[in-house]
Amino acid sequence: HEGMLFHLLDPMEIDFPFRGWMQFKSTENLGEARLLESSGFRKAYLEALSNYLKDIRRLGLLYEFDHVICRTSRHWRELLFDAMTRRQLAKGRK
């Protein structure tokens, strides 16, 4: 068997386009929200996201899973086609 991990992320999670003061609501702790100045928070958030994705990628490599980041703005058929094409190309190089 071969494994693939499809990691669904909203484009706003990836790009963090926010500017100015924003209220961020927790999806894990309902009702919890924080008011943050987004431009000061942006660098730390993107760094934390990058480190998190690197950790997931490392775990995938350890267990021989492909880690595919999927933007929710793309259709699932496109994502699956692209992932399967990359996998086939990678197999061809081995």
Side-chain angles (χ1 to χ4, degrees):
H1 298 292
E2 296 180 15
M4 294 182 84
L5 172 63
F6 290 90
H7 198 142
L8 300 174
L9 293 169
D10 187 278
M12 287 190 282
E13 289 178 281
I14 297 169
D15 302 326
F16 201 85
F18 310 106
R19 300 289 180 254
W21 287 93
M22 303 283 300
Q23 183 176 37
F24 293 92
K25 295 180 181 179
S26 174
T27 55
E28 286 84 22
N29 299 319
L30 296 179
E32 184 179 324
R34 293 186 183 199
L35 185 63
L36 299 169
E37 202 291 307
S38 57
S39 61
F41 181 63
R42 185 174 196 273
K43 183 179 177 185
Y45 170 82
L46 290 174
E47 187 175 304
L49 177 63
S50 176
N51 290 335
Y52 169 72
L53 293 174
K54 284 176 190 172
D55 288 346
I56 296 294
R57 205 169 294 118
R58 272 190 225 109
L59 281 171
L61 289 171
L62 179 66
Y63 293 101
E64 299 180 0
F65 275 67
D66 289 341
H67 178 231
V68 182
I69 296 174
C70 304
R71 288 178 178 254
T72 57
S73 57
R74 294 187 63 206
H75 195 281
W76 66 268
R77 285 187 190 112
E78 270 182 77
L79 298 168
L80 187 57
F81 179 79
D82 289 350
M84 297 306 290
T85 301
R86 277 194 303 271
R87 176 171 269 212
Q88 287 302 319
L89 290 172
K91 280 184 177 181
R93 284 186 242 139
K94 289 182 180 179

